[in-house]
């Protein structure tokens, strides 16, 4: 099966040396004992892969942002909850989990930590004994407002490397790549 897949991928390569960056594949040189195109097998190059490049950029951005968050004693996920609840008005724990891309168990743990740190409150919804609403405490609101411009500064650091046209194209491409992709991003 692996050989069949490799031959199929090799057949999709336009010319020797052409790259297929999304897969991290490049056409390998012809084998000296081979007879041409059928003998070119794709060579995997990790650093050429779309997933690798996106992951590396994401980690780079995360580290930069986490350095900004450190003085406030919050994690990126805690910031996501503060922003979602405080700026977007999302209050149901399950809706928060869906919005930031983590599972409900992880959200429950995170909310407990944030509640213990005095950042959020979980209050029962009147008329529904099981439902809870998440609201920011005064401390949570203050941190949310203080971090909001820092988040923008980190984004601007990277946007400054692109023209407005490139930034718009990047957003459009990312939206297309994410379209119709189901599932949660556990460990965001």
């Amino acid at each position: 099966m692996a050989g069949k897949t490799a031959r199929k991928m090799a057949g999709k390569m336009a010319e020797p040396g052409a790259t297929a960056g999304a897969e991290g594949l490049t056409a390998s040189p012809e084998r000296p004992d081979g007879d041409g195109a059928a003998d070119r097998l794709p060579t995997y190059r990790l650093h050429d892969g779309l997933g690798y490049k996106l992951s590396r950029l994401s980690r780079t951005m995360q580290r930069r942002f986490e350095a900004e968050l450190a003085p406030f004693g919050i994690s990126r996920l805690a910031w996501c909850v503060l922003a979602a609840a405080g700026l977007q008005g999302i209050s149901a724990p399950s809706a928060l989990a869906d919005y930031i891309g983590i599972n409900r168990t992880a959200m429950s743990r995170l909310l407990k930590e944030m509640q213990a740190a005095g950042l959020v409150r979980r209050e029962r919804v009147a008329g529904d004994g099981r439902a809870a609403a998440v609201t920011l405490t005064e401390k949570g609101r203050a941190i949310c407002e203080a971090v909001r411009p820092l988040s923008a500064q980190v984004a601007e650091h990277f946007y400054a490397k692109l023209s407005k046209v490139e930034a718009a194209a990047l957003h459009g491409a990312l939206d297309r790549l994410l379209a119709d992709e189901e599932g949660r991003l556990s460990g965001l």
Side-chain angles (χ1 to χ4, degrees):
M1 183 70 134
K4 193 178 210 179
T5 302
R7 282 191 299 279
K8 184 176 179 183
M9 294 170 114
K12 291 184 179 182
M13 298 302 217
E15 298 179 25
T19 63
E23 296 87 13
L25 300 172
T26 59
S28 63
E30 290 183 28
R31 288 184 280 182
D33 61 341
D35 62 358
D39 293 317
R40 284 191 300 275
L41 297 176
T43 301
Y44 183 77
R45 300 200 191 289
L46 176 68
H47 291 184
D48 291 338
L50 175 64
Y52 176 84
K53 287 182 179 199
L54 288 173
S55 292
R56 187 156 181 213
L57 175 61
S58 177
R59 283 193 312 272
T60 300
M61 293 178 81
Q62 289 169 8
R63 284 188 199 121
R64 184 175 286 271
F65 189 46
E66 286 166 349
E68 298 292 338
L69 293 174
F72 298 95
I74 64 170
S75 66
R76 271 183 318 100
L77 284 178
W79 159 248
C80 290
V81 170
L82 292 176
L87 303 174
Q88 275 82 43
I90 301 169
S91 63
S94 60
L96 284 166
D98 291 341
Y99 187 74
I100 67 173
I102 63 175
N103 65 45
R104 291 183 172 133
T105 303
M107 178 56 68
S108 180
R109 259 191 323 269
L110 179 59
L111 290 174
K112 284 178 187 172
E113 292 169 11
M114 292 178 73
Q115 196 167 2
L119 301 171
V120 297
R121 278 188 296 275
R122 286 193 279 187
E123 300 167 340
R124 293 283 169 214
V125 174
D128 188 343
R130 294 181 351 159
V134 175
T135 58
L136 303 189
T137 62
E138 188 174 318
K139 178 181 177 183
R141 279 191 300 280
I143 290 176
C144 185
E145 288 306 314
V147 170
R148 187 177 181 183
L150 300 176
S151 175
Q153 287 173 6
V154 169
E156 183 52 38
H157 170 80
F158 292 94
Y159 280 127
K161 298 177 181 191
L162 303 173
S163 71
K164 288 183 181 184
V165 171
E166 288 171 325
L170 176 61
H171 272 267
L174 292 172
D175 287 344
R176 285 190 303 281
L177 290 171
L178 288 169
D180 303 322
E181 296 297 328
E182 300 292 325
R184 297 184 192 280
L185 303 171
S186 59
L188 201 183

